Amino acid sequence: MSHTFDKTRLPSRHVSLGPERAPHRSYYYAMGMSEEEINRPFVGVVSAGNDSAPCNTTLNAQADICREGVIAGGGTPRRFNTITVTDGIAMGHQGMKSSLVSREVIADSIELSVRGHCYDALVGFAGCDKSLPGMMMAMLRLNVPSIFVYGGSILPGTYRGADVTVVDVFEAVGQHAAGKCPLSELIALEKVACPGHGACGGQFTANTMACVGEAIGLSLPNSNMAPAPYKSREEIAIAAGRQVMELVARNLRPRDICTRAAFENAARVVAATGGSTNAALHLPAMANECGIEFDLFDVAEIFKSTPYIADLKPGGKYVAKDMHEAGGVYMAMKTLLDGGFLDPNPITVTGKTIGENLEEITWNPDQKVFYDVKTPLSPTGGVVGLKGSLAPDGAIVKVAGMARLQFSGPARVFECEEDAFAAVEAREIAEGSVIVIRYEGPKGGPGMREMLSTTAALYGQGMGEKVALITDGRFSGATRGFCIGHVGPEAADCGPIALVEDGDMIHIDAVAGTIDLDVPEEVLAARRARWQPRQNDYGSGALWRYAQNVGPARYGAVTHPGAREETHVFADI
């Protein structure tokens, strides 16, 4: 259904209406636009498409197809692009310092393009990890009618008759270092693990945040789990373009959709699906954009009371393709709602509430991916928040698929990931150790690197649950084992993690939610008095600027005050 729109009430009036905008319109005519097209609402169609990695290679095509839906709904699409940093390629070296920083650059670049060109609505296509929250953050910041579209996951590779993902390759590196995997097998695996287009297939950060898009109401129901190569992605792109025009007609905006209850629903779905610990960073950052207080402890409290119901990699058996075939995100949400774990009232981009959308879903008892909440894989979520003397501002651990939930051991301290990885490769880590990697936080890194190369190498050596690893940095959604990230305050702020010394006893209890450093306070006080700030290697450029502005991981590692301090919302200009 096409609507008639009053542009005098929309942001694009500033670049298209009245005699004084004749110079602006001349540019539109130069691009072949008609007078009728100029008089329609302008819809920004933003793509994170590029040739950096398979996560992003189909996005531009999907965004281009979205134009058809926008036009059918009565709008004029305006395509533009933003960047990505692809974690699988940035992993394990200095490039990973750019990953989390890219989330802010993505959000900022979308904001600037929409502000500069006065777009009335936004449809966003993202693939790799940080581009998903970055895009949704921009939507919440601008508050123009918006729909988020995930580009879809990769299909699983096949090696020796079994499904494999890129994580199997990372872990095979550790097996090779331990003499358990010949180089010829490692090379054979790397050639088949990623068979085509799409983001990483397990319940890692990209798929976790794709689930968030649906659970929080910014994505069309059951749109995000269809794999990237599927023809249905074209239909989804067109539907998103058409539906965003319905949102413009109704003036239904992202902050109307993403209420406190919607954020709680999103956190429930993350926990229930054994999602990435990175969601505990991205949900507070998204909440910051709309002035909602929702920090790591709020997320952790929800995680604590949510059953774990999805048998997904890395802790389980299945990948996103299987999740899609089992009924998608809404199948998981169906049993969560029936069990009283979801709020049915938040509205979504369909114009209906979560509850109304779920009325159209029938629980499928024959699928194998999702368990009923009455018979979950475990009674509490796959991700757990921790707090204690080592992490007064909190920490996070993914326990999905883990047998061991308590750990005590002596610290083995490293000042950066490279040193820790070298020690792991050299088999210098004793069983029972608690590896501490510090000065990798948002400010101290800078950039809060993920540690998948190190954790996967440990798992490949058979040490995954024989040691624990603690960092003020992050872990990939693909990480498994006793790995605790987001420790705050970070070492660069002289948090307790900065004061740990080799041999100090550390106690972790993922059941009680505690993480403690067994060192007397007077000893810590003496160490604190001797502590000197550590200089990072970045005296200029984007990483320097990020380090100057970034806040604690507890609040999402954001770089600006958010909606609490804004004096106007772009959508109302």
Side-chain angles (χ1 to χ4, degrees), residues 72-158:
T76 295
R78 300 285 83 200
R79 252 290 310 280
F80 67 98
N81 278 59
T82 186
I83 68 157
T84 60
V85 171
T86 298
D87 290 5
I89 290 175
M91 194 73 67
H93 54 90
Q94 293 289 309
M96 181 46 73
K97 293 180 185 288
S98 300
S99 172
L100 186 58
V101 180
S102 77
R103 185 191 71 181
E104 314 312 306
V105 174
I106 290 163
D108 291 350
S109 66
I110 295 170
E111 176 195 0
L112 294 175
S113 191
V114 171
R115 281 187 182 276
H117 303 110
C118 293
Y119 294 147
D120 303 314
L122 197 56
V123 183
F125 292 80
C128 196
D129 298 4
K130 307 308 168 293
S131 57
L132 285 79
M135 211 161 268
M136 289 188 275
M137 286 162 65
M139 292 172 175
L140 291 163
R141 186 184 304 176
L142 294 159
N143 207 31
V144 292
S146 301
I147 294 180
F148 172 75
V149 185
Y150 180 44
S153 70
I154 199 168
L155 295 172
T158 302

Side-chain angles (χ1 to χ4, degrees), residues 196-459:
H197 302 290
C200 295
Q203 193 64 345
F204 314 149
T205 303
N207 283 327
T208 298
M209 295 309 296
C211 290
V212 164
E214 292 192 32
I216 210 165
L218 286 176
S219 297
L220 295 171
N222 273 341
S223 60
N224 286 345
M225 285 302 111
Y230 282 20
K231 187 73 174 173
S232 59
R233 294 241 57 96
E234 295 182 7
E235 299 163 12
I236 291 163
I238 293 169
R242 187 185 289 271
Q243 184 60 26
V244 83
M245 299 312 301
E246 292 292 322
L247 301 184
V248 175
R250 292 183 53 166
N251 195 27
L252 182 58
R253 301 178 176 186
R255 295 188 197 178
D256 302 325
I257 292 166
C258 295
T259 60
R260 169 78 188 214
F263 276 97
E264 292 174 356
N265 282 346
R268 291 272 184 214
V269 170
V270 171
T273 59
S276 169
T277 55
N278 283 312
L281 195 70
H282 300 322
L283 286 171
M286 289 168 61
N288 180 62
E289 300 292 353
C290 40
I292 294 172
E293 292 188 9
F294 194 68
D295 70 6
L296 173 64
F297 292 128
D298 295 313
V299 175
E301 195 62 32
I302 291 165
F303 287 173
K304 192 189 302 182
S305 60
T306 305
Y308 168 43
I309 62 169
D311 193 6
L312 295 165
K313 288 179 179 286
K317 301 175 190 171
Y318 299 106
V319 295
K321 175 184 79 75
D322 305 312
M323 187 177 182
H324 172 64
E325 291 169 356
V329 183
Y330 265 63
M331 187 59 63
M333 291 168 65
K334 180 68 173 178
T335 188
L336 288 171
L337 180 68
D338 291 347
F341 292 99
L342 285 188
D343 188 325
N345 296 311
I347 200 160
T348 73
V349 292
T350 64
K352 300 177 183 178
T353 65
I354 285 284
E356 289 170 333
N357 289 343
L358 283 167
E359 285 175 7
E360 301 173 19
I361 304 297
T362 302
W363 172 256
N364 176 9
D366 298 324
Q367 53 78 34
K368 306 296 184 187
V369 176
F370 303 113
Y371 287 61
D372 190 290
V373 291
K374 299 185 187 74
T375 54
L377 285 158
S378 67
T380 57
V383 182
V384 173
L386 305 173
K387 186 178 184 181
S389 60
L390 183 55
D393 273 355
I396 201 89
V397 60
K398 185 171 183 174
V399 297
M402 280 174 50
R404 184 176 185 177
L405 299 178
Q406 287 96 9
F407 199 103
S408 293
R412 178 76 188 277
V413 182
F414 299 93
E415 307 299 320
C416 65
E417 187 195 8
E418 284 85 355
D419 292 350
F421 183 73
V424 170
E425 283 266 275
R427 308 300 302 273
E428 294 174 356
I429 305 296
E431 285 188 24
S433 299
V434 179
I435 302 167
V436 176
I437 305 177
R438 61 191 178 196
Y439 294 103
E440 292 285 7
K443 184 188 298 184
M448 203 179 183
R449 283 194 289 183
E450 292 182 351
M451 309 285 171
L452 179 59
S453 292
T454 301
T455 60
L458 283 166
Y459 228 93

